[in-house]
Amino acid sequence: MSSVLSAEQVRAYHDDGFTIARNVFSPEETDLLCRAMEEDPKVAAHSLIRPDIEGGGTRISLWNRAGDSVYGMAARCERVVDTAEQLIGEPVYHFQSKLTAKDPFGGGAWEWHQDYGYWYYNGCLRPDMLSMMIALDRSDRDNGCLQVVKGSHKLGRIDHLQVSEKQNSADPARMEHIVAQNELVYCELDPGDVMIFHGNTLHRSDQNRSPNRRWTLIVCYNAVSNDTITKDDDRYYVPLDKVSDDAVLKAGLKFASGDDEHFAKQAYVPEAKKAS
Ligand code: SIN
Ligand code: MN
């Protein structure tokens, strides 16, 4: 078991719904991940624009399997998977990865949501799922870093309503009270840091109005015992083949090959009532 977290960080995850692990990836590893996101033709070919409600858009690429690419190795390496298993408390599998690429001056906002607000509709019965946001660039308040409501994973699953064609938001009327009653944390990250958050943790981010790029790679895991009850979405259980921690460097600038990564053609946005 080679978790990257201290006992204090594990406690923070369970109490607050998130924790930040610094320098999980070395500068050399982070540089490989970053270049793969910039240069892998499959990442570019599957890039989608997700409009926000302020007239901006964020660019994402989504894939469902962790293959042999350098970013597949990052998602499968021991220290990362062991950390997910330590927090979820049982064996996990790779659920989805995505590049969220906020370019300077306009990279789009994300509305308040819980990842499980979406994943519930992919047929997961429990929120025993988490996301790891790997910073590829510095991510701070100026360029639209992730914001979380501390402790919000304890609120249970909140109804999500449609606020744009491509984004649902946790019920805005409820959010007003949640934000008023709880602490909001801006999670500033340096390249190679990883922010880990529970499937029910409420999070959002602002547009990037700065001259600095904010790209992140988000890798999500599900408990094996929480496999999807529907098999039509490509995110059902497939065994995760753990690799040693040096596999990222050993992979070098290895891109996706064949259809190993199962890139998605569109983002899945569950049908929801419109927010009034
Ligand atoms: C997400 O919630 O999936 C993305 C958030 C972000 O990139 O700021
Ligand atoms: Mn999310």
Side-chain angles (χ1 to χ4, degrees), residues 111-113 147-152 155 158 169-186 202-204:
E111 300 308 318
W112 282 117
H113 69 278
Q147 303 165 29
V148 296
V149 177
K150 194 169 172 179
S152 52
L155 296 171
I158 294 163
S169 162
D171 183 351
R174 218 171 169 91
M175 277 315 303
E176 250 181 66
H177 296 278
I178 292 172
V179 170
Q181 290 178 27
N182 293 278
E183 187 182 339
L184 192 152
V185 181
Y186 286 80
L202 284 160
H203 56 286
R204 72 172 303 280

Side-chain angles (χ1 to χ4, degrees), residues 1 3-5 10 14 81-90:
M1 181 75 169
S3 162
V4 299
L5 302 177
V10 172
H14 291 301
V81 181
D82 282 356
T83 301
E85 295 191 330
Q86 177 188 35
L87 295 176
I88 290 182
E90 54 180 288

Side-chain angles (χ1 to χ4, degrees), residues 31-229:
D31 186 57
L32 285 172
L33 294 173
C34 199
R35 285 186 55 202
M37 292 300 108
E38 290 166 347
E39 296 172 32
D40 186 332
K42 288 217 167 70
V43 174
H46 292 89
S47 115
L48 308 161
I49 299 293
R50 192 162 216 211
D52 65 21
I53 57 174
E54 300 162 44
T58 202
R59 194 157 62 76
I60 57 172
S61 297
L62 299 150
W63 56 97
N64 296 332
R65 303 276 167 89
D68 288 337
S69 60
V70 61
Y71 44 97
M73 292 304 169
R76 292 204 275 133
C77 74
E78 216 165 9
R79 66 190 188 278
V80 168
V81 181
D82 282 356
T83 301
E85 295 191 330
Q86 177 188 35
L87 295 176
I88 290 182
E90 54 180 288
V92 301
Y93 71 95
H94 176 264
F95 191 69
Q96 185 165 63
S97 285
K98 68 177 168 219
L99 164 70
T100 65
K102 288 196 196 189
D103 289 321
F105 303 116
W110 292 78
E111 300 308 318
W112 282 117
H113 69 278
Q114 297 166 312
D115 288 339
Y116 187 63
Y118 286 77
W119 296 340
Y120 175 90
Y121 293 98
N122 300 125
C124 296
L125 297 181
R126 309 192 309 267
D128 293 345
M129 313 177 74
L130 58 75
S131 298
M132 294 198 186
M133 174 183 257
I134 305 168
L136 302 175
D137 300 310
R138 173 154 171 87
S139 179
D140 54 29
R141 283 182 77 143
D142 287 342
N143 63 3
C145 69
L146 204 70
Q147 303 165 29
V148 296
V149 177
K150 194 169 172 179
S152 52
H153 63 310
K154 294 185 175 159
L155 296 171
R157 184 178 67 88
I158 294 163
D159 283 345
H160 284 52
L161 304 179
Q162 192 188 71
V163 288
S164 83
E165 199 195 318
K166 298 277 178 211
Q167 281 201 52
N168 292 345
S169 162
D171 183 351
R174 218 171 169 91
M175 277 315 303
E176 250 181 66
H177 296 278
I178 292 172
V179 170
Q181 290 178 27
N182 293 278
E183 187 182 339
L184 192 152
V185 181
Y186 286 80
C187 300
E188 298 197 319
L189 306 173
D190 282 312
D193 290 349
V194 179
M195 144 88 188
I196 309 172
F197 54 103
H198 186 279
N200 268 341
T201 297
L202 284 160
H203 56 286
R204 72 172 303 280
S205 62
D206 285 323
Q207 285 189 351
N208 179 6
R209 298 193 188 89
S210 84
N212 305 317
R213 197 180 79 163
R214 198 230 71 176
W215 283 22
T216 72
L217 173 58
I218 302 182
V219 185
C220 311
Y221 298 91
N222 186 20
V224 172
S225 68
N226 193 37
D227 186 13
T228 58
I229 55 170

